[in-house]
Amino acid sequence: MGIRYLPRYTPGERTNHWLIVLFFLGAGLSGLAFFHPGLYFLSALFGGGVWARILHPFMGLAMAACFLLMFLKLRQHNLMNDADREWLKHSGEMLRGDKSRMPPAGRYNAGQKQVFWLMVWSVAVLVLTGFMFWQPWFADAFPILLRRIAVVLHALSATVLILTVIVHVYAAIWVKGTLRAMTRGDVSEAWARQNHALWHREMTGKP
């Protein structure tokens, strides 16, 4: 008997995810070029400093627009509940290699939900603060002090987003079989039973 797979993401959801990745890399690399002089060489990827500065906000907005679509689709699945709080209590044991006491998870576990909401708030702050010092279109509408604060918050939220994405990618690689969800759109039934037992039960009707 062959391996049975369960659908996890539609082609449209996967396309949107990889567009987010593409625009995140563009906005991230162009933003890092202006974060520190030692990283300015990254601007060459976009045709030089002038083009990097022009393209950066547009790539950021494109990323945010795609992320908004994902947020609207997945927000209900990422609301925290009592089972998630119990999951978090035992997360340290899981990181040490002991999954025996981990409660069953739904479509997303508590760790994934935390990553989701960190990304949501990071992107929201990036968009809001980005408008506040976007020359020459919007910056002049805000006082200098507010713009300076916006620059600092923009850098901090970008740092949080980058670190959160690193955790997200690491976890996807660490849990064998996870990457298939965003490349093929499905996961094995065994993967679902082991990592998301409640979702497995919902999808298959099996205990």
Side-chain angles (χ1 to χ4, degrees), residues 83 87 102-106 195-198 201:
W87 190 96
M102 296 302 295
N195 298 291
H196 299 274
L198 297 180
R201 191 178 307 164

Side-chain angles (χ1 to χ4, degrees), residues 146-164:
L146 200 56
R147 278 184 269 170
R148 289 173 177 170
I149 294 173
V151 169
V152 174
L153 291 177
H154 196 81
L156 287 174
S157 57
T159 301
V160 170
L161 181 60
I162 291 171
L163 292 176
T164 305

Side-chain angles (χ1 to χ4, degrees), residues 33-128:
F34 300 107
F35 184 75
H36 189 275
L39 298 173
Y40 186 72
F41 70 92
L42 293 171
S43 65
L45 297 171
F46 307 94
V50 173
W51 274 109
R53 188 174 293 277
I54 292 172
L55 293 173
H56 173 75
F58 290 103
M59 290 186 290
L61 284 178
M63 179 193 73
C66 293
F67 192 89
L68 177 61
L69 293 177
M70 184 179 72
F71 169 77
L72 294 174
K73 180 75 174 180
L74 300 180
R75 69 187 187 282
Q76 290 298 324
H77 298 293
N78 282 278
L79 299 176
M80 299 290 285
N81 53 43
D82 291 338
D84 293 318
R85 284 180 275 276
E86 185 66 23
W87 190 96
L88 288 173
K89 290 180 182 178
H90 300 285
S91 59
E93 300 168 24
M94 178 194 66
L95 292 174
R96 291 190 292 270
D98 180 12
K99 295 184 177 182
S100 61
R101 300 178 61 191
M102 296 302 295
R107 176 164 181 160
Y108 300 108
N109 61 45
Q112 291 171 310
K113 291 179 180 182
Q114 287 184 326
V115 164
F116 177 82
W117 289 108
L118 274 174
M119 289 182 175
V120 167
W121 287 109
S122 297
V123 171
V125 173
L126 282 169
V127 172
L128 178 62

Side-chain angles (χ1 to χ4, degrees), residues 117-193:
W117 289 108
L118 274 174
M119 289 182 175
V120 167
W121 287 109
S122 297
V123 171
V125 173
L126 282 169
V127 172
L128 178 62
T129 56
F131 273 111
M132 294 170 71
F133 62 93
W134 187 356
Q135 295 279 10
W137 310 108
F138 306 102
D140 291 339
F142 301 94
I144 292 177
L145 178 60
L146 200 56
R147 278 184 269 170
R148 289 173 177 170
I149 294 173
V151 169
V152 174
L153 291 177
H154 196 81
L156 287 174
S157 57
T159 301
V160 170
L161 181 60
I162 291 171
L163 292 176
T164 305
V165 167
I166 291 173
V167 171
H168 174 62
V169 172
Y170 176 80
I173 296 172
W174 180 44
V175 182
K176 186 178 180 181
T178 301
L179 287 176
R180 181 185 175 94
M182 271 303 167
T183 57
R184 303 291 186 85
D186 54 29
V187 292
S188 70
E189 187 173 341
W191 179 94
R193 188 186 302 110

Side-chain angles (χ1 to χ4, degrees), residues 2-35:
I3 299 174
R4 183 184 176 190
Y5 292 96
L6 302 177
R8 188 141 172 99
Y9 296 109
T10 66
E13 290 168 340
R14 299 200 309 276
T15 299
N16 188 60
H17 172 271
W18 292 114
L19 284 173
I20 293 172
V21 172
L22 178 64
F23 291 128
F24 167 78
L25 290 173
L29 291 172
S30 59
L32 285 172
F34 300 107
F35 184 75

